[in-house]
Amino acid sequence: MNELLNIQNLCVSIEKKQVLQNINLQVNSGETHVLMGPNGAGKSTLGYTIMGNPRYSITDGKIFFDGEDITSLSAEKRAAKGIFLSFQTPLEIPGISLENFIRNALQARSEKRINLFQFQKQLKQAMEFLQMDESYARRDLNVGFSGGERKKSEILQLLMLNPKLAILDETDSGLDVDAVRTVSKGIQAFQQQANGALIIITHSTKILENLKTDKTHVLVKGKIVKDGDGQLVEKLNKEGFEAFVS
């Protein structure tokens, strides 16, 4: 497998307060990594930093993506290179429909016009797969959507955009059992349709039950304190994070 993401000795601050310390992480194409840890450990911060959110200041270290140093690139340029981030609380964007948002994002990625017929056909199939009412495609992005529909909307974007690296931040947060099952099915489809990589940030293991996990990382107080394979998820599910919190 080709190395896709390489984070080297990454240190990150917010308003001069250090929140991540000496993070080292390598993700290969096609791999699924799970990032777990207690509240406030810095899991979402790492996701936002990989995506290039300007609120998070890199004070040391490097981020390489697909062999290129992207440490100083904007979020827009990182997205164009194939990095996708789902939000823990997806934002409402009035004035642009879900369909147009996805189509514009695809055009920005490919830098050429999208065949409207093919796009709408693919969108319809993906929405049916996720059990989404077709009317949501014409509604303003996330405006008036329930929590479950917002999360499905992001998984729809994932399937349509087909990024090289997808970072899913608490995608299962606030979802009922049926919605978790549907979202998990969408993530499985992404795993199968491409050679893209996944970083799944989560407190819970429900969404992981039907997913193949290659590596698991435990983040505590801004540091990765433990690395393992999929079996580490099972251990954390039984024993919690107490052994890693001092």
Side-chain angles (χ1 to χ4, degrees), residues 49-64:
T49 302
I50 295 170
M51 192 68 242
N53 188 316
R55 184 184 174 213
Y56 303 90
S57 176
I58 295 175
T59 57
D60 199 6
K62 297 284 187 181
I63 301 175
F64 293 89

Side-chain angles (χ1 to χ4, degrees), residues 7 9-14 17-24 35 40-50 56-60 63 219-224:
I7 298 175
N9 301 314
L10 186 70
C11 297
V12 176
S13 294
I14 302 176
K17 179 182 178 182
Q18 190 171 50
V19 288
L20 294 179
Q21 304 173 53
N22 299 318
I23 299 294
N24 290 281
L35 187 63
K43 303 183 299 297
S44 295
T45 295
L46 181 56
Y48 284 123
T49 302
I50 295 170
Y56 303 90
S57 176
I58 295 175
T59 57
D60 199 6
I63 301 175
L219 190 68
V220 176
K221 296 180 180 179
K223 298 179 180 179
I224 293 179

Side-chain angles (χ1 to χ4, degrees), residues 6 36 177:
N6 186 343
M36 302 185 73
V177 174

Side-chain angles (χ1 to χ4, degrees), residues 184-211:
S184 180
K185 185 174 72 170
I187 298 171
Q188 277 184 295
F190 172 75
Q191 287 180 316
Q192 295 166 2
Q193 78 178 17
N195 200 33
L198 278 165
I199 297 176
I200 301 175
I201 300 169
T202 185
H203 287 105
S204 169
T205 58
K206 289 181 183 178
I207 200 168
L208 305 175
E209 290 176 358
N210 297 312
L211 298 177

Side-chain angles (χ1 to χ4, degrees), residues 52-137:
N53 188 316
R55 184 184 174 213
Y56 303 90
S57 176
I58 295 175
T59 57
D60 199 6
K62 297 284 187 181
I63 301 175
F64 293 89
F65 183 71
D66 221 3
E68 178 183 353
D69 184 350
I70 64 167
T71 310
S72 301
L73 287 187
S74 67
E76 290 79 9
K77 289 182 178 179
R78 296 186 196 201
K81 290 183 179 297
I83 302 178
F84 173 93
L85 172 67
S86 75
F87 294 97
Q88 188 171 341
T89 306
L91 301 174
E92 293 186 359
I93 304 181
I96 181 169
S97 69
L98 172 59
E99 177 178 344
N100 285 338
F101 179 83
I102 295 173
R103 185 154 57 94
N104 290 340
L106 277 170
Q107 288 185 169
R109 279 271 307 275
S110 63
E111 297 183 341
K112 58 184 179 182
R113 289 186 64 83
I114 301 296
N115 181 295
L116 184 59
F117 175 78
Q118 290 297 331
F119 167 77
Q120 290 181 332
K121 179 181 178 181
Q122 184 182 358
L123 182 67
K124 180 180 179 181
Q125 290 173 342
M127 293 187 78
E128 288 176 351
F129 179 75
L130 293 173
Q131 300 173 3
M132 290 184 71
D133 191 299
E134 288 183 43
S135 65
Y136 279 85

